[in-house]
Amino acid sequence: MQFSTTTSAPARSRTGCALVPVLDGKLCGSTAQAIDEANDGRLTRLLKSGDLKKKAGSTLSTHLDGAIARVVLASFGEGKQASEKDWLDAVRAAYKAASAFSADDALSLLHDVPVAERDLAWKLRVQALAGRDVAYRFEQMKSEREPKPARPKRVTIALERAGAGPLARELERARAIANGVDLAKDLGNLPANVCTPTYLADTARKLAREFDLKCEVLDERQMQALKMGALLAVARGSAQPPKLIVLRYQGAGARRAPIVLVGKGITFDTGGISLKPAPEMDEMKFDMCGAASVLGTMRAVAEAKAKVNLVVIVPTTENMPGGRATKPGDIVTTMSGKTVEILNTDAEGRLILCDALEYAKRFSPAAVVDVATLTGACVIALGHHHSGLFSPSDELAAELQAAGREVADTCWRMPLDDVYQEQLKSPFADVANIGGRPAGSITAACFLARFTKDYTWAHLDIAGTAWRSGTNKGASGRPVPLLTRFVFARADAA
Ligand code: BES
Ligand code: MN
Ligand code: ZN
């Protein structure tokens, strides 16, 4: 699905399908009215029929017989402007309705609906991301692949006046982000017997070839040489060899400090000896969505040729039980030298991350952001709307929050003060890997905080946002939009 803009009189132009907004039961915007007039008031008559509900996300589709072959009328709710949620619901519904038609191209007027505190650039960017999100299919593992491509293939955004230059750039960046999102979704959706640590490493190598990146993949022996005792402890139970993937993109001068993104890459989390219960365990194939998101972000940033330096680090392994597996009570020495008492082998994400975060030091980073499906507790705290954001830095936290809002991929800041560190005390080692039930997502972040004192750092817990469960099960590609926008903003600011 390709997006472009036009400023020529859209009411007369030919198109397979027009996406027309309806606000408060009335056509919204002068272009919608012009299309109505060019079709002898057909749209107004359709609205009078009462078949389109006022509730945001309701749609009514029909054929016309003029230059515009079909129309999707999309309700944005009541009032003079749409709320952000209503606007997103309506845009997604409009693209879903359009995909039911066989039209190759569409003309969109959906951005003519005002949204509180959101400008045109936001509406184009978010519309392009939503359109691509709705169009996404994962059919690699089906023997009979749906032959038909996602429709519409081309979407033209009808703008009332010129000024399309910066908006075209906005759409170009949105396409790069959407390609990154698709990569993250594909990796997340692949089953764990295909998407192994080796598969992730091969994917990184392929990205490096396509986008001219530097790629390094460390194996078990190299991890041993670096004394990555925590990462190796998680890998012990698995027959799959662990990897530490490092991808580097240089879009700015070599002396500019890079942004470093670290993604949790547990390709399957059984819990290890602290075995998880059986129901829904299949969803633990998504436990590498942090890794997928940083690889997707790398793809987006490199494709957009952003003027910034970016390093992506992915510690990746399975977490399995087995005769050689780490046991509750085992004590390991991390790359930093700190010792960890592993009281629960299911708290493995923080173990692979602490060694990767120690490794990140060598890049003298401007900022480090780690991304992980880290805790069930974060899902309890925030549900499936916002990712959890933890950072000792108010500036970095504000940057990430703003980036999220600009692409409708939001995060919510959680506390991280030292009072919670108490819960991680161990009688035998420097730190325990669990802090009990209270504030589970915070104590997990506190564990990571102990390894990130030497640079500016933030942690995103995406346990509730990285995938959807139920009948619509699948990876969301989040937080690729947030991360990419954050990197773009840093590139633009420099
Ligand atoms: N990958 C899980 C977290 C998770 C669980 C994400 C369910 C999404 C849905 C993580 O490795 C884990 O098992 N965390 C434990 C930590 C606990 C043992 C302290 C958890 O959240 O239960
Ligand atoms: Mn776990
Ligand atoms: Zn996990």
Side-chain angles (χ1 to χ4, degrees):
M1 189 179 281
Q2 286 258 23
F3 287 83
S4 59
T5 58
T6 180
T7 47
S8 62
R12 308 269 156 212
S13 62
R14 287 207 153 268
T15 184
C17 182
L19 307 179
V20 177
V22 175
L23 184 63
D24 220 8
K26 292 183 281 291
L27 293 172
C28 183
S30 56
T31 312
Q33 269 149 23
I35 289 180
D36 188 38
E37 277 157 35
N39 286 276
D40 305 318
R42 178 83 192 280
L43 303 187
T44 323
R45 286 200 299 284
L46 272 169
L47 289 181
K48 284 223 176 89
S49 75
D51 288 349
L52 180 68
K53 295 190 189 69
K54 275 193 180 176
K55 188 174 160 39
S58 312
T59 60
L60 182 63
S61 310
T62 191
H63 287 256
L64 301 175
D65 10 70
I68 295 175
R70 308 166 187 83
V71 65
V72 173
L73 292 170
S75 256
F76 282 71
E78 295 176 71
K80 286 202 163 57
Q81 58 180 19
S83 69
E84 195 170 313
K85 178 184 183 301
D86 280 357
W87 194 84
L88 277 162
D89 285 349
V91 167
R92 296 178 64 86
Y95 278 92
K96 222 168 254 165
S99 71
F101 283 134
S102 60
D104 279 334
D105 70 318
L107 182 76
S108 173
L109 318 178
L110 301 178
H111 50 280
D112 284 342
V113 177
V115 186
E117 289 169 54
R118 295 293 176 226
D119 60 7
L120 187 55
W122 184 90
K123 288 189 280 185
L124 294 205
R125 186 189 313 132
V126 171
Q127 176 174 178
L129 291 172
R132 285 282 302 269
D133 188 55
V134 169
Y136 175 84
R137 298 278 176 279
F138 181 74
E139 281 155 355
Q140 294 180 46
M141 305 304 292
K142 304 240 190 201
S143 58
E144 241 177 289
R145 294 187 192 184
E146 283 266 301
K148 50 178 196 266
R151 282 176 210 275
K153 290 186 211 155
R154 293 178 303 281
V155 179
T156 307
I157 309 254
L159 299 175
E160 279 180 13
R161 49 185 172 71
L167 294 172
R169 180 173 132 99
E170 205 61 73
L171 288 177
E172 221 169 274
R173 282 183 158 189
R175 184 185 45 180
I177 295 175
N179 288 342
V181 166
D182 281 4
L183 172 62
K185 286 180 179 175
D186 281 348
L187 292 172
N189 287 331
L190 280 168
N193 62 328
V194 175
C195 186
T196 58
T198 304
Y199 185 94
L200 286 180
D202 289 343
T203 303
R205 287 197 191 92
K206 218 158 77 192
L207 275 179
R209 256 176 275 133
E210 191 176 347
F211 294 100
D212 200 21
L213 315 170
K214 292 204 180 75
C215 180
E216 230 180 319
V217 177
L218 309 195
D219 62 16
E220 207 159 355
R221 278 215 345 266
Q222 291 165 293
M223 290 174 208
Q224 269 155 7
L226 287 163
K227 300 190 158 62
M228 294 182 157
L231 171 50
L232 288 164
V234 177
R236 286 184 65 86
S238 173
Q240 290 290 338
K243 307 280 174 194
L244 185 88
I245 304 165
V246 183
L247 264 183
R248 280 186 288 168
Y249 164 77
Q250 195 186 322
R255 297 177 60 185
R256 181 102 59 84
I259 296 170
V260 177
L261 302 177
V262 180
K264 172 180 172 182
I266 295 291
T267 59
F268 196 82
D269 183 10
T270 65
I273 297 299
S274 312
L275 194 63
K276 285 182 181 296
E280 278 121 53
M281 206 208 274
D282 66 289
E283 296 193 7
M284 283 300 113
K285 73 171 183 175
F286 294 118
D287 211 19
M288 35 55 69
C289 282
S293 77
V294 299
L295 292 173
T297 300
M298 178 56 96
R299 200 205 131 101
V301 168
E303 185 181 330
K305 299 193 165 70
K307 293 191 172 62
V308 67
N309 294 333
L310 178 65
V311 178
V312 153
I313 304 175
V314 172
T316 175
T317 173
E318 289 179 336
N319 185 24
M320 299 287 283
R324 286 171 36 83
T326 294
K327 302 163 291 298
D330 285 2
I331 294 176
V332 299
T333 304
T334 63
M335 183 181 174
S336 73
K338 289 193 215 345
T339 58
V340 180
E341 185 182 18
I342 302 178
L343 291 172
N344 189 322
T345 63
D346 198 11
E348 85 297 340
R350 60 199 80 180
L351 296 174
I352 69 168
L353 287 171
C354 74
D355 280 339
L357 287 165
E358 180 66 26
Y359 189 79
K361 269 194 200 169
R362 68 178 55 199
F363 299 104
S364 308
V368 178
V369 182
D370 79 75
V371 193
T373 49
L374 203 63
T375 64
C378 192
V379 191
I380 303 302
L382 296 176
H384 303 285
H385 304 290
H386 306 292
S387 302
L389 167 64
F390 304 78
S391 180
S393 161
D394 292 342
E395 291 80 25
L396 181 57
E399 265 181 279
L400 290 164
Q401 283 174 303
R405 281 194 298 268
E406 279 156 6
V407 284
D409 178 10
T410 52
C411 56
W412 197 273
R413 192 166 178 196
M414 302 276 285
L416 186 68
D417 37 313
D418 283 341
V419 290
Y420 295 94
Q421 289 287 0
E422 305 272 315
Q423 287 173 244
L424 293 172
K425 278 196 179 142
S426 158
F428 303 115
D430 296 341
V431 63
N433 81 325
I434 53 169
R437 298 236 314 149
S441 68
I442 303 171
T443 52
C446 281
F447 181 92
L448 300 177
R450 294 178 179 232
F451 298 85
T452 55
K453 298 288 183 216
D454 293 344
Y455 45 67
T456 310
W457 161 77
H459 156 62
L460 287 167
D461 193 330
I462 58 167
T465 52
W467 75 90
R468 274 177 296 273
S469 308
T471 46
N472 236 338
K473 194 186 285 183
S476 66
R478 291 178 66 181
V480 170
L482 181 163
L483 292 171
T484 310
R485 180 76 193 177
F486 162 69
V487 175
F488 284 167
R490 284 260 172 144
D492 292 347

